[in-house]
Amino acid sequence: MKENIVRLDEFLINLTKTEKIPVETKGEIANPNNLPFLQAQILQKIYLDLFEHKRTTIEELSELTDYPKDSKILNDAIEALDEKGFLDGNLITNFRISENCLDLFSKIVKKNDYKHKKYSTNILQFTMPENFTPKLFEEEQTISELNKYGTVHKWYDYLEDFPFSLIEDKIKEYKIKPNSLVVEPFVGGGTTCISANFFRCNSIGFDANPLMTFISEVKTTWDIDLALYKKQVIKIAEQFLEKIHNYDSLKLTKGFLENMPKKELNQWLSPALQKEANLLKNLIYSIEDKKIKNLLLLAMSKSCLDASYVSFCPGTTFYPFREKEEFWDLFTKKVIQIYEDLEKVQKHNNYGKSKLINDTCLNASKYIKPNTINFIITSPPYPNDLEYTRQTRLEMYLLDFVKNMYEVQQIKKKMVKGSTKLIFKESKSEVFALKFNDVKIVSDKIYEQTKDKNWGFDYPRMVREYFGDMYLCLKIIHPLMKKNAHFLLVVGDQTVKGVYIPVCDILIKMGQEIGYRNCRKELFRMRRSTGHNILLPEEIVIIEK
């Protein structure tokens, strides 16, 4: 890899010396990471065209950005790049690169030049890169060690997951016996189901987002033929390494490249990453063994996310010039990590089984008989205005769970309304929350804080709909639990527009009204509100049938 980079660096220097790529002497430039995404996208396109000795046209920029070619926004963005020192010239006479931008130009070319890039071959020998952290343990690990160190869990990290060890601690504290039924109403990345299975409990997990039920199902499927897995990985890798340099001449299914809105696709993925991910996906789809295919799709989608422009902080922000590890290197590590984890897991052959259901937990009674649940532990959504389908948008399109925004909306309509962007005309859960005075008080306070705003986001209603949904969740699950079974919710108090929301206390009052016994809470940890810089408790709400 290093040899290839050196050769490419020398090639770029020679190009500029021979004036095949024109260079302009200019002063200091702004930090490219601070460029608005539209400007970053245009700059990247022009630099890549200059590298290939092509003149960028307004038609090409219009097609790339989805702005009309006579759009003032588009043309202002092009002019801004000249004013900020990243370019000199115009679309008619063509552009020159500022001398201070040669390093940036080189990075963009190296990142996107899939035709000449040297891809790692570690995967062919099933070896990790030299700088990869070695295994902590060579000897056989106990189930507790597997769970504690994130075996399987770390295949796909998910925002807002709770610690792996918490599930084990609570299973032991509440004396949950093997073969007991553990339910996770908001399965997310599958933490509860994985840990429950490790400790010989059966589990059922619900999630309205099909991506999350897919991830959790793959992460709880351990009866994999590892010899066949290894064989298939090497076969796919050989095909990828052979074909990627000639991507443009291949006949491939475009799938997510055509379905995902163009602006979003380009926000998430660099031009080269779009091609790399699409080729790898096509190759994986040729695998007949469904379990192995799904494992590699998981590895591919997680690697694509980690190599993308996105940063979760806690919203969704895009940084096209931030240094990220190469997609292929990430995929190599991930498939080997999965193999090594499964080797450890298969040394212990006595586990529980999981069933993952792509539906809202408000329909739990369709899938679970009354008086059968032994234990429930979950970290539900918070009323924090985070819209989780936005954070999983890339993988939802990448893995064909959605093909358009209408299908995204249908998923959003099933989710707990912890965000203003999840509220629709037909949303009507707030009626169940309004009988609780604390909900009305909080809602009224937020209204007073926001009534003069013109932004169109109904935060008071978000709070009412959220607690209405959570009330329904507690009420619907209650008759499905065995007598004396416990329901644990890891949840944090929140602030919305400066108004403090005692989430835990409200959930406890709801539990008491429904008929749960011994409703209480215990402190789990303290967090800092990113919006208001105050400490907020995250607690475990404990209710008992």
Side-chain angles (χ1 to χ4, degrees), residues 287-478:
I287 296 174
E288 292 183 3
D289 187 293
K290 185 178 178 181
K291 293 176 182 177
I292 293 175
K293 178 191 293 186
N294 287 343
L295 276 171
L296 296 184
L297 287 174
L298 178 142
M300 182 269 294
S301 60
K302 181 65 167 103
S303 302
C304 195
L305 175 66
D306 289 346
S308 73
Y309 293 148
V310 76
S311 175
F312 299 125
C313 51
T316 308
T317 312
F318 301 94
Y319 298 100
F321 305 122
R322 181 171 287 181
E323 290 292 325
K324 288 285 190 81
E325 193 168 355
E326 286 285 342
F327 165 69
W328 182 246
D329 293 339
L330 289 164
F331 179 74
T332 295
K333 293 178 183 179
K334 186 61 66 176
V335 296
I336 297 174
Q337 175 195 9
I338 289 171
Y339 179 87
E340 292 179 345
D341 279 3
L342 286 171
E343 275 191 317
K344 298 172 188 174
V345 167
Q346 290 182 2
K347 289 178 181 178
H348 307 267
N349 60 5
N350 192 3
Y351 297 114
K353 298 292 184 183
S354 281
K355 181 178 181 180
L356 282 304
I357 298 170
N358 176 213
D359 198 355
T360 170
C361 63
L362 302 188
N363 290 328
S365 59
K366 293 181 181 179
Y367 309 96
I368 302 175
K369 294 179 181 179
N371 304 306
T372 57
I373 299 174
N374 298 96
F375 190 58
I376 303 172
I377 180 166
T378 186
S379 180
Y382 299 173
N384 54 7
D385 207 29
L386 280 182
E387 200 274 272
Y388 290 104
T389 70
R390 176 61 177 154
Q391 294 170 313
T392 59
R393 193 70 53 86
L394 171 65
E395 303 103 292
M396 289 168 69
Y397 276 102
L398 180 60
L399 297 181
D400 301 316
F401 290 116
V402 296
K403 293 182 172 59
N404 51 56
M405 278 306 298
Y406 172 79
E407 293 180 356
V408 174
Q409 285 188 340
Q410 299 315 299
I411 294 170
K412 290 165 68 172
K413 287 179 180 180
K414 294 180 180 180
M415 301 177 80
V416 168
K417 310 299 185 294
S419 167
T420 54
K421 302 171 190 68
L422 296 173
I423 296 173
F424 296 86
K425 287 182 180 179
E426 56 265 46
S427 302
K428 54 185 179 181
S429 296
E430 61 181 327
V431 65
F432 298 102
L434 288 175
K435 56 183 171 181
F436 295 94
N437 196 46
D438 288 353
V439 175
K440 289 192 288 186
I441 291 171
V442 168
S443 176
D444 289 345
K445 285 182 178 179
I446 295 173
Y447 172 76
E448 288 301 319
Q449 292 289 91
T450 60
K451 63 182 179 182
D452 297 326
K453 304 294 183 183
N454 232 353
W455 49 37
F457 297 122
D458 194 340
Y459 289 98
R461 186 179 175 197
M462 177 194 80
V463 169
R464 298 192 301 270
E465 291 286 350
Y466 169 81
F467 282 109
D469 282 342
M470 290 305 300
Y471 175 84
L472 288 172
C473 171
L474 301 183
K475 187 175 180 64
I476 288 164
I477 286 178
H478 183 267

Side-chain angles (χ1 to χ4, degrees), residues 171-234:
I171 284 175
K172 291 178 177 178
E173 179 182 344
Y174 289 90
K175 298 179 172 58
I176 308 302
K177 297 177 181 178
N179 299 315
S180 295
L181 177 58
V182 176
V183 169
E184 165 55 286
F186 307 97
V187 78
T191 303
T192 293
C193 291
I194 294 165
S195 296
N197 289 6
F198 272 142
F199 296 98
R200 298 164 58 194
C201 297
N202 299 316
S203 61
I204 296 177
F206 294 89
D207 208 295
N209 187 334
L211 172 71
M212 305 322 301
T213 49
F214 170 79
I215 289 171
S216 298
E217 183 173 5
V218 174
K219 289 169 73 175
T220 52
T221 302
W222 303 336
D223 57 336
I224 306 297
D225 182 336
L226 290 182
L228 181 60
Y229 173 87
K230 190 172 184 178
K231 181 179 178 181
Q232 291 287 3
V233 166
I234 292 173

